[in-house]
Amino acid sequence: MTGRHGGSLRRAGTGALGRALGVFVVTVAALAAFSVLAEDVVVAIPVAPRRLRPPVRHTPTGCELLVVRHHCWTGAAPDPDAIPGHAIVTLPGRRPELADSSVGFAIWLEGAPGHVHAFCP
């Protein structure tokens, strides 16, 4: 095979290898250029919409109703000079109720059993 045809086969093999290498280099360069250019591109994939749940209606609790009915406050007093006369408290084993402010202060400041929800005028 070292005759006339041996050299042409070698050139043909080298040419095919060169073309394959060229295609590979061009492909890699194109992918690199695309990744740089498409850095800020966001691909949106369509998704079937979820079924929306109906809004949950809030039913005021007994405690919330008491706070509104008696014009109570749950954070800082609306007036810095306000002196609470009552408190909305829940004592152990009972429902929320309007009580004298001394009960609320005993729970809040002295650690008496129960929970203070709000103070009221």
Side-chain angles (χ1 to χ4, degrees), residues 8 13 20 28 32 35 39 45 47 51-52 55 65 71 78-79 82 91 93 108 110:
S8 62
V28 169
S35 67
E39 188 173 295
I45 300 171
V47 179
R51 292 183 178 214
L52 298 176
L65 293 173
H71 309 287
D79 177 13
L91 299 175
W108 182 38
E110 299 168 13

Side-chain angles (χ1 to χ4, degrees), residues 73 76-84:
W73 59 87
D79 177 13
D81 297 325
I83 298 174

Side-chain angles (χ1 to χ4, degrees), residues 18-92:
R19 282 192 299 278
L21 184 60
V23 168
F24 176 75
V25 169
V26 168
T27 302
V28 169
L31 287 174
F34 177 75
S35 67
V36 169
L37 294 175
E39 188 173 295
D40 294 330
V41 174
V42 176
V43 177
I45 300 171
V47 179
R50 286 192 248 164
R51 292 183 178 214
L52 298 176
R53 294 182 182 152
V56 177
R57 299 200 188 279
H58 176 70
T59 303
T61 62
C63 180
E64 291 170 332
L65 293 173
L66 286 170
V67 168
V68 172
R69 183 180 306 139
H70 296 286
H71 309 287
C72 304
W73 59 87
T74 57
D79 177 13
D81 297 325
I83 298 174
H86 297 90
I88 305 295
V89 298
T90 301
L91 299 175

Side-chain angles (χ1 to χ4, degrees), residues 104-114:
F105 283 121
I107 294 170
W108 182 38
L109 299 174
E110 299 168 13

